[in-house]
Amino acid sequence: MTVSKLVFTPLSYTGWGSLEQLLPEVEKYSPRKILLVTDPFLKEIGLTERVTAPLTEQGYEVTVYTEVVPEPPLAVGEKLVAFTREGKFEMVIGLGGGSAMDLAKLAAVLAGNEGPAADYLNLSGSKKVEEKGLPKILIPTTAGTGSEVTNISVLSLESTKDVVTHDYLLADVAIVDPELTVSVPPRVTAATGVDALTHAVEAYLSVNASPVSDGLALQAIRLISRSLRTAVENGNDKQARIDMSNGSYIAGLAFFNAGVAGVHALAYPLGGQFHIAHGESNAVLLPYVMGYIRKSCTKRMADVLNALGGNSLYLSEEEASYKCVEELTRLVKDVGIPQTLAGFNIPESALESLTQDGVQQKRLLARSPLPLLEEDIRKIYQSAFNGV
Ligand code: NAD
C-alpha cells in the first residue's frame, strides 16, 4: 500500500464574481494595515482599484505596492520583503499572475522570519522558515500558475530559477474569480493556459501521482483542453474563462500534491538564461519532453489522450501515447506558441549551458517517470532546437 500525503488548503472561493468574498474574509482578520502586492499594469487597467475600493470604503488602510515584474528576480523579492517588514503590515493580499502572488506570499512569510530571502532558497539557501508570518489572501488574475494553492515561491536567479518552499507559504484564502482574467491578452492567455495544462499532465505522469491527484489532473486536462483555444481567440468568452480558471486552480491542487517534473526542470533554465515567460518555456518544451518520456508511460498517456478529447479505444497503448504527444503538440501550435527554441532566438551554442543548469533541478527531475540524466536532457534540448 502506498501512503500519499495530500494537502488541500487554502479556503477557496471559485466562480464568476467570487471577488465579493474578499471583504468578509478580510473582516475575519481585522487587520489595521494591509499590503496589496500587484504589478503596475494591473493598476493601470483598474483591477487593483476593484480590490482596494471595497476595503477602503470600510476604513481599511491599504498600501498598494506595484513593483512586481514578470518572472521576478531575487532582488525584487528582497526589496519587497524589506518593505513589508518595515511597514508593520498585518495582512498581505497578492493580486496578479504567479509573479505577484509568489512575491506576496514570500513577503508575508518572511515578514515573520529573519534574514534575506536568499537564505531560504531551496538550492543555495541554508535557513528553514520557522514562523508563519502574516495572513495572506491570493487572487489570481491569470489562469496558469496555480500559485494560489501551492507552497512555493519562484524567484529568478542569474541563469536559472530557484524556489522558497514551506507549507507556511500556502495562502490562508484563495479567491479565483475568472472575471479578473477577461483582460488577459491572447499571448499571455496561451502561455499561462499551457502552463496550467503542463501542471496537470506532469502531475498525472509523476512518480508521486496518487488516485486523488489523478482525478484532479484529468479533470484539469479536460477543462483546459476544451477551452484554451477559445479563450485565446475570444477573451470575452465567459465559459472559456471559467473553464480556464477552474482548470488552472485544479491543476495547481494536482501538481502541488503530485509534483511537476522534466518539462519544468528544463524550462527553468530557459526562463533564467533567456527571460522567456514561464508559460512559454513550458509550452515550447512540452511536446519534446513528452515525446522523449512517452515510452515509459504509454498507459498513462492513453488516459491523457482521452482527457484531451481524443479516443484511445481502438488504439494500442503505444499508438495512443504517440497520439497523445501529437495532440499536445497541436494544441501548443494552435494557440500560437513558437514550436522550437530557435523560434525564441535561442542559439544552438546555448544548449550546453541549458543542459548544465537543467541537471541541477534534481527535485523536479526525480518525479519523471523516465529518469532524465544529463545525456537525456542534452538530447531533449537538441530536439527542441531542431524541431524534431
Ligand atoms: P505573470 O504574473 O508574470 O504575468 C504575466 C503578464 O500578464 C504581466 O505582464 C501581467 O501584468 C499580465 N497580466 C496578469 N493578469 C492580467 C490581467 N488580468 N489582464 C491583463 N494582463 C494581465 O505571469 P504568470 O505566468 O501568471 O506567472 C509567472 C510566474 O509564476 C513565474 O515567475 C513562474 O515561475 C511562477 N510560477 C509559480 C508557481 C507556484 O506554484 N508558485 C507555479 C508556476 C509558475
Side-chain angles (χ1 to χ4, degrees), residues 288-362:
Y288 302 101
V289 175
M290 291 298 123
Y292 198 85
I293 66 170
R294 183 200 57 76
K295 53 188 179 287
S296 69
C297 49
T298 51
K299 163 83 183 72
R300 290 213 147 224
M301 283 217 177
D303 297 339
V304 173
L305 172 66
N306 292 329
L308 286 167
N311 185 355
S312 70
L313 193 58
Y314 302 109
L315 303 176
S316 68
E317 274 177 19
E318 182 83 359
E319 289 166 336
S321 66
Y322 274 115
K323 189 109 178 58
C324 174
V325 177
E326 262 174 46
E327 283 298 319
L328 291 170
T329 307
R330 198 159 61 86
L331 183 52
V332 170
K333 185 166 179 238
D334 287 352
V335 296
I337 291 171
Q339 303 280 284
T340 64
L341 295 186
F344 288 98
N345 297 322
I346 295 173
E348 194 165 10
S349 58
L351 301 188
E352 191 50 35
S353 67
L354 289 170
T355 302
Q356 293 313 318
D357 282 344
V359 173
Q360 305 305 316
Q361 298 293 340
K362 295 187 174 58

Side-chain angles (χ1 to χ4, degrees), residues 71 145 154 161 191 195 199 264 267-268 271 276-283:
E71 318 289 318
T145 68
V154 187
K161 287 182 168 188
D195 186 24
H199 293 154
H264 277 74
Y268 276 2
I276 298 171
H278 176 72
E280 294 192 345
S281 311
N282 275 335

Side-chain angles (χ1 to χ4, degrees), residues 39 97-99 102 141-142 145 147 150 152 154 161 180 183 192 278:
D39 77 43
S99 300
D102 278 10
T141 63
T142 60
T145 68
S147 174
T150 73
I152 312 162
V154 187
K161 287 182 168 188
L180 302 179
S183 51
T192 49
H278 176 72

